[in-house]
Amino acid sequence: MEPIYLRIFNDIEAKILAGDWRPGHRIPREHDLVDDYGCSRMTVSKALAALVDRGLVVRKRKTGSFVASPQIDRTVMDIQDIGTEASLAGYEHRYKILARRIETLDSVEAAQLDSTSGAEVLRIQCLHIVDGKPTAVERRIILLDTVPLARIESFAAAPPAEWLLSQVPWSKAKHVIRAVPADAATARILEIDRGEPCLNLIRQTWQNDRLVTYVEITHPGDRFQFAGIFHPAKNPRHVDSPTG
Amino acid sequence: MEPIYLRIFNDIEAKILAGDWRPGHRIPREHDLVDDYGCSRMTVSKALAALVDRGLVVRKRKTGSFVASPQIDRTVMDIQDIGTEASLAGYEHRYKILARRIETLDSVEAAQLDSTSGAEVLRIQCLHIVDGKPTAVERRIILLDTVPLARIESFAAAPPAEWLLSQVPWSKAKHVIRAVPADAATARILEIDRGEPCLNLIRQTWQNDRLVTYVEITHPGDRFQFAGIFHPAKNPRHVDSPTG
DNA sequence: CATATCTATTTGTATAGTCAAAAGTGGATC
DNA sequence: GATCCACTTTTGACTATACAAATAGATATG
C-alpha cells in the first residue's frame, strides 16, 4: 500500500506536470486536502512540503500554496541557457535565428530522438553571440505536438531555450557532453578552423514522457566552458522543510 | 528561535562534516535523541529524514541510523569516479598510478587553487583504462593538511577518487568542463594525436572551506562523454560512459 | 548441523489535536 | 484621505500517542 502522503504528492505532481494546474494556480489549502483525502493535516503537510522541495510549489502563510513558476534545477541550470549565463557573468548576449522551418520527422531521425516518425517539428538553427564573439551554434528541434504554440513563435523576444522554459515544465532531461572537432559548417559559423576542439552539448527534454525538445549546442573549446559550484542539498530538503 | 528539528539537523550535520562521526558511525536512535533534545519523536524523525535526503545518513529498521558513505550529490552532473561509472556501464576498468610524490605548493599554484602557499600536498598522476583502452588521465593534488591519511596511501586497492570519497565528506565542489586540444604529454599517454579534441574536467572539492583535492581529468573526445538523466530534484541517475 | 519461528528493537506512517507566526482585510481614529 | 490596530485565515512547528513493517538475534525444531 502506498502511503497517503505519497498519494497526495503524486496526485498534485501529476496535475502540475500535465499542465492541468498552470504556474500561479492556487493549490487547495491544507484543510481542503484533509477533507479530500480523509487524513490528518500533518500528512497533507508532509506531501506539500515535499512538493515545495521538489520545486513545484511555493507556500506562503495566510496566502496559500501555489504552483511555482517552472524553474530549472539549479545544478542543471548551469548548462541550461546561454543568455542567462552570459548576463550573470556580466557579458552582453545577442542571438540570431539562422534558420527556422517546420518539417516532419523521417524514421531515421525519429529513432534517433526516441520519438515517433512523421511527427511535425520546428527546426531552428541559432547563433549565440557573447561579448561580440560567436560563442555557440544551437541546432534545435521542437515537437509541435507537445508545444503547439511554437508554431507561431518567432523567438524575437527571447531565444528558444528561454521561451521554452517559460512555456513548458519539464519532468525529465537527458544531457550528453562531448568534445568534438568542428565540422565545416560549424567552423564557418563560429569563425574557427575545421577540426578545432568544440564543446558539444546535446539535451533532450521531456514532459511526462513526451519529448519537448532536442537541442545540440556547439561551443568553440577556447571560448566556452561549463562551470558550476555545487553544495550537497543545503537546507533540509525534501520532507517537511519550512523555509523552502 | 530556530526550530528544534533544524537544531538537531544542524548538530548532526556538523558532526558528520567535521569528521567527528565517520561514515558507518551509528547515529543515536530516535528515542535517545528525543531524550537529548526533550522533544517528541516526530520532531527527531523530521530532522533525520532531512539528513537522509541530504545524503548524509542512511536508516534501516531495527538496525538503526548510520552516517552514509560520502557520495556525490545525485543532482550534480559529474563523474564521481570513473571506475564506478565504467563498471555500471558494464565495462572493465583498470588504472595505473603513473606518478606519486609529496610536494609543497608554490605561491603560483596556491593562488590557482585558492589555497595557502607552502601547504604540503600529494601529487598523483593516474591513467584509467576502460575496456582495454586508455580513457582518462587523472592529475590530482590532495591537500595533506586536510587528508593526512593520504600520505601513506598507495591507492593500490582503490583509485584516488574512490578512496577519497570513502574518507572525506565534501561540502562544496566546483566543476569546470572544457574541450581542449591534447598536449604532447597527454597525447602520448592516451595514445592519440596532438591537438585531438579532449574532454577536460577540473574539479575542486572542499570540506568546510578547506580544500580537499584538486583534480584535472582529461578524456579523449572520441572515447568518452558525460551523460546524465535528470528529474527535477528527484533521484537523478547519471552515467558517464565510454563511447563506442 | 541447518532451518524455521518467535521476539524485541527500531524505523515508518499516521492521528488529532495545540499553539505560534505571518500576512491580508477591514474598521476605527486622526 | 492616511495610519494604526484588531481580526481572521493559512501555513509552520510541535506533542503525545498508536500501530505497522522490517529485521537482527535468540530460540526452538527437525
Side-chain angles (χ1 to χ4, degrees):
Chain A
M1 243 300 264
E2 197 184 34
I4 303 175
Y5 81 92
L6 258 186
R7 239 180 60 223
I8 303 176
F9 177 95
N10 288 331
D11 287 355
I12 297 179
E13 182 192 41
K15 285 215 179 66
I16 297 175
L17 288 184
D20 205 351
W21 289 353
R22 310 284 308 164
H25 180 278
R26 174 156 187 182
I27 286 172
R29 44 176 165 282
E30 295 191 351
H31 182 75
D32 292 342
L33 291 170
V34 164
D35 290 351
D36 291 354
Y37 286 88
C39 65
S40 77
R41 215 194 113 208
M42 276 243 63
T43 303
V44 165
S45 165
K46 197 163 165 175
L48 289 176
L51 283 161
V52 168
D53 186 62
R54 164 81 161 80
L56 286 177
V57 166
V58 290
R59 316 191 68 192
K60 212 172 153 193
R61 276 172 174 156
K62 163 77 184 175
T63 316
S65 306
F66 302 87
V67 177
S69 299
Q71 239 185 350
I72 289 298
D73 189 277
R74 204 154 287 137
T75 59
V76 180
M77 165 74 166
D78 289 287
I79 48 173
Q80 188 63 30
D81 172 38
I82 301 165
T84 309
E85 283 181 65
S87 51
L88 278 179
Y91 291 106
E92 185 240 348
H93 169 250
R94 288 180 295 133
Y95 62 96
K96 217 176 349 183
I97 304 287
L98 302 179
R100 180 190 187 287
R101 61 181 181 280
I102 290 171
E103 298 179 356
T104 55
L105 282 185
D106 64 37
S107 54
V108 176
E109 277 183 323
Q112 210 174 20
L113 304 193
D114 211 13
S115 181
T116 50
S117 160
E120 253 193 331
V121 299
L122 177 65
R123 190 186 294 269
I124 305 170
Q125 192 170 105
C126 175
L127 171 65
H128 293 267
I129 300 158
V130 176
D131 207 25
K133 285 171 288 205
T135 303
V137 194
E138 171 179 347
R139 298 187 176 92
R140 183 183 291 271
I141 289 174
I142 299 175
L143 277 284
L144 290 174
D145 268 5
T146 317
V147 198
L149 275 174
R151 189 185 293 273
I152 54 166
E153 173 65 33
S154 70
F155 305 105
E162 198 179 316
W163 181 83
L164 275 168
L165 275 179
S166 72
Q167 291 291 317
V168 192
W170 63 289
S171 56
K172 191 172 95 174
K174 180 179 167 184
H175 294 190
V176 175
I177 299 176
R178 297 180 303 165
V180 298
D183 62 32
T186 304
R188 198 174 55 250
I189 297 172
L190 291 178
E191 300 170 15
I192 58 178
D193 293 334
R194 273 190 65 178
E196 285 264 305
C198 288
L199 201 52
N200 184 255
L201 167 70
I202 294 174
R203 178 173 53 236
Q204 288 179 76
T205 310
W206 288 266
Q207 177 189 10
N208 282 348
D209 290 318
R210 295 176 64 190
L211 186 62
V212 174
T213 187
Y214 169 97
V215 62
E216 178 180 351
I217 299 174
T218 307
H219 302 276
D222 59 349
R223 265 179 247 156
F224 204 84
Q225 61 185 21
F226 299 143
I229 293 182
F230 302 109
H231 303 266
K234 191 86 192 268
N235 278 322
R237 286 171 61 152
H238 199 229
V239 177
D240 287 348
S241 115
T243 44
Chain B
M1 243 302 265
E2 195 184 36
I4 303 175
Y5 82 92
L6 259 187
R7 240 180 57 223
I8 302 177
F9 177 95
N10 288 331
D11 287 356
I12 296 180
E13 183 193 41
K15 284 215 178 68
I16 295 175
L17 288 184
D20 206 351
W21 289 352
R22 311 285 308 164
H25 181 277
R26 174 157 189 181
I27 286 172
R29 44 177 165 280
E30 295 191 350
H31 182 76
D32 291 343
L33 290 170
V34 164
D35 290 350
D36 290 355
Y37 287 89
C39 65
S40 78
R41 214 194 114 206
M42 281 248 57
T43 303
V44 166
S45 166
K46 196 164 166 176
L48 289 176
L51 283 162
V52 168
D53 188 61
R54 191 345 189 148
L56 285 177
V57 166
V58 291
R59 316 190 69 192
K60 213 173 154 193
R61 278 174 174 155
K62 163 76 184 177
T63 316
S65 305
F66 301 86
V67 176
S69 298
Q71 258 186 349
I72 292 290
D73 188 288
R74 289 177 295 255
T75 62
V76 172
M77 180 175 49
D78 175 86
I79 47 169
Q80 67 170 349
D81 166 42
I82 299 165
T84 308
E85 305 298 341
S87 51
L88 278 177
Y91 292 101
E92 184 243 347
H93 169 253
R94 287 180 295 133
Y95 62 96
K96 218 173 356 181
I97 304 289
L98 302 179
R100 180 192 187 286
R101 61 180 182 280
I102 290 171
E103 298 180 356
T104 55
L105 282 184
D106 64 37
S107 56
V108 175
E109 278 182 324
Q112 209 174 21
L113 305 193
D114 212 15
S115 181
T116 50
S117 157
E120 251 191 331
V121 299
L122 177 64
R123 190 186 294 268
I124 305 171
Q125 193 170 102
C126 174
L127 171 65
H128 293 268
I129 300 159
V130 176
D131 207 25
K133 286 171 287 203
T135 304
V137 194
E138 172 179 346
R139 297 187 177 91
R140 183 182 290 273
I141 289 172
I142 299 175
L143 277 284
L144 289 175
D145 267 7
T146 317
V147 197
L149 274 175
R151 189 185 294 273
I152 54 165
E153 175 63 34
S154 70
F155 305 105
E162 196 179 316
W163 182 84
L164 274 168
L165 275 177
S166 72
Q167 291 290 316
V168 192
W170 65 289
S171 57
K172 191 172 94 174
K174 181 178 167 186
H175 299 177
V176 175
I177 298 174
R178 297 178 304 165
V180 298
D183 61 31
T186 304
R188 197 176 54 250
I189 295 173
L190 292 178
E191 298 169 17
I192 58 179
D193 292 335
R194 274 191 64 176
E196 285 265 304
C198 288
L199 200 53
N200 185 255
L201 165 72
I202 294 174
R203 178 172 57 232
Q204 288 177 77
T205 311
W206 288 265
Q207 176 190 9
N208 285 346
D209 291 318
R210 295 176 66 191
L211 185 62
V212 174
T213 186
Y214 170 97
V215 62
E216 178 180 350
I217 298 174
T218 307
H219 302 275
D222 59 350
R223 266 178 247 156
F224 205 84
Q225 62 185 22
F226 298 148
I229 293 181
F230 300 98
H231 302 267
K234 269 229 164 143
N235 282 342
R237 274 185 134 79
H238 71 268
V239 181
D240 306 316
S241 55
T243 61

